[in-house]
Amino acid sequence: MTAVAEAKIRKRVLPSPVTGQEVVLVGVIAVLWATLAVSTPAFLTAGSIQPLLVATAPVALIGVGMTIVIITGGIDVSVGGAIMVCSVLTAKALVGAEVNLAVAVLLSVAAGGLLGLVNGVLIAYGRVHAIIITFGTANLFMFLGLRIFGSGTVNGIPGTLAFFGRGPDGRTLGVPHAFLITVLLTAAAWWWLRHTAGGRHFFAIGGDAQAARLAGVRVQRRVLLAYVLTGLLVGLASCFVIAQGTSTLDQSVGAGKELAVIAAVVIGGTSIMGGRGSVLGTLLGALLVQSVASGVTQLGWRSQLSDLFVGIFIIVAVGADLLRARARRNR
C-alpha cells in the first residue's frame, strides 16, 4: 500500500481535528464575553481575565485526565479529596522543610500519582464499577487529608509556588503560567489520543471493552494508566490551587472541584457513556464554567445562579450527545 493510500485511510478513520461541539463552545464563550464586556466593562481588563485563566487552569488540567477516564467508560469522583491530600502535604512541606519549587511539585505529583494508582488498581483489577470505588476513595482521601491537616489550617505558606500564581511572578506577557502549562499539556494529550495507537485504545475500551480485549488491547493496563494519569495531573493542579490562595490553606481546599471538573468534561462534549471525547473540548468547557462564575460575581448576582447556568449547559450537552447517539444508531 502506498503512503498516499495509507494517508487517505488514516484521514477517514480519524475524527475531525475540531468537533462541532468545540466550535459551538467557542461561539458561546465569545458571546458570553461580549455580553459581559458590555454589562461590566471591567470584565475584559487584565485584572479580570488573568484571575479567570488562573482559576480555569486546575479545573481544565484535571479535566484532561478525567476526559481519558470517562472515554474508557469510567469516572473519578475522588479528585476533590485527592486535591486536599496533595495540597496539604505540599503546603506542610513548604512550611516545615522549606523545599524549593521543583521538590514541591515532585512531591505533589508523586502523591497524586499514588492516589491515582490506588483507584486504578481497584477499578482495573477489582472489577468493581468506577463510581463505587471512587466514591469510597473520595471519603478515604478526605479523611486522610483531614488527619494530615490536624485540628486547624496550614499557615505561613511561603511564595515558593508563585510561578503558578496570580502575581507578576506567575505570568509571562500577561498570560498566567498555570494556564500556559495547561494549554501545552492539553495539546500534548490531544495529539497522543488522536495520533498514537496507545491513545486510541482508550476510545476502543470505552466503545466495547470486550471487543478491544479480543483485538489485543491490554484493557486493564490502559484503565490503570488512565487513573494514574489523572492522579498525576491532580498533583500538578494542587500546586496551582495552593498558588492561587494566600499564605493560609484551610480544610475546604478541593471541595466541589470534582463537580466542576466533570461539568467541564461533559460540557466539552465527552460522552458520559464512554467511547467519545475531546480534551480540547474539556479546556473550552472549563473556560466556560469559570467565565460564568466570574460573570455572575462581577454582575453582583447570587452565586447560586452560576450553578444554575452550569446545570443548564450540562443538560444541553448531555441532550445533544444523546441525540447524536440516536442519529448514529438510525444510520
Side-chain angles (χ1 to χ4, degrees), residues 263 266-267 307-322:
V266 173
I267 292 172
D307 297 330
L308 171 64
F309 295 140
V310 170
I312 292 173
F313 287 137
I314 291 173
I315 292 172
V316 171
V318 171
D321 180 57
L322 293 175

Side-chain angles (χ1 to χ4, degrees), residues 37-291:
V38 172
S39 303
T40 170
F43 178 78
L44 286 183
T45 62
S48 177
I49 295 298
Q50 288 169 350
L52 170 62
L53 297 180
V54 171
T56 299
V59 175
L61 186 60
I62 300 172
V64 170
M66 186 73 77
T67 301
I68 298 173
V69 164
I70 293 180
I71 284 173
T72 66
I75 197 168
D76 188 350
V77 298
S78 70
V79 294
I83 290 173
M84 176 188 282
V85 174
C86 295
S87 296
V88 67
L89 279 174
T90 305
K92 289 214 166 187
L94 289 170
V95 172
E98 296 183 357
V99 299
N100 59 31
L101 175 64
V103 173
V105 172
L106 286 174
L107 173 63
S108 186
V109 170
L114 180 60
L115 298 179
L117 179 64
V118 171
N119 280 333
V121 168
L122 292 175
I123 293 166
Y125 297 96
R127 299 183 182 276
V128 180
H129 196 279
I131 189 67
I132 302 299
I133 293 296
T134 58
F135 183 74
T137 55
N139 288 276
L140 291 176
F141 295 164
M142 191 170 297
F143 172 79
L144 176 61
L146 291 173
R147 292 291 295 177
I148 298 173
F149 259 109
S151 58
T153 60
V154 180
N155 300 308
I157 301 174
T160 309
L161 298 177
F163 181 80
F164 305 124
R166 302 189 182 198
D169 293 337
R171 55 181 182 262
T172 297
L173 299 177
V175 182
H177 297 149
F179 188 75
L180 284 173
I181 293 170
T182 299
V183 170
L184 290 174
L185 290 178
T186 300
W190 177 89
W191 182 89
W192 180 51
L193 290 171
R194 179 179 170 82
H195 293 288
T196 68
R200 292 192 293 272
H201 286 168
F202 294 111
F203 293 95
I205 293 169
D208 190 329
Q210 184 59 28
R213 186 176 287 106
L214 293 174
V217 177
R218 295 179 176 179
V219 173
Q220 290 175 312
R221 290 188 181 182
R222 286 291 161 185
V223 171
L224 174 62
L225 177 60
Y227 287 92
V228 172
L229 284 174
T230 302
L232 294 172
L233 293 175
V234 166
L236 180 56
S238 296
C239 295
F240 296 175
V241 171
I242 295 172
Q244 285 182 32
T246 62
S247 60
T248 298
L249 188 73
D250 62 38
Q251 297 178 0
S252 66
V253 62
K257 275 290 191 292
E258 66 279 359
L259 301 178
V261 170
I262 294 172
V265 173
V266 173
I267 292 172
T270 297
S271 174
I272 200 69
M273 295 179 288
R276 297 186 307 278
S278 166
V279 291
L280 175 57
T282 295
L283 175 62
L284 294 171
L287 184 58
L288 177 59
V289 169
Q290 294 302 318
S291 296

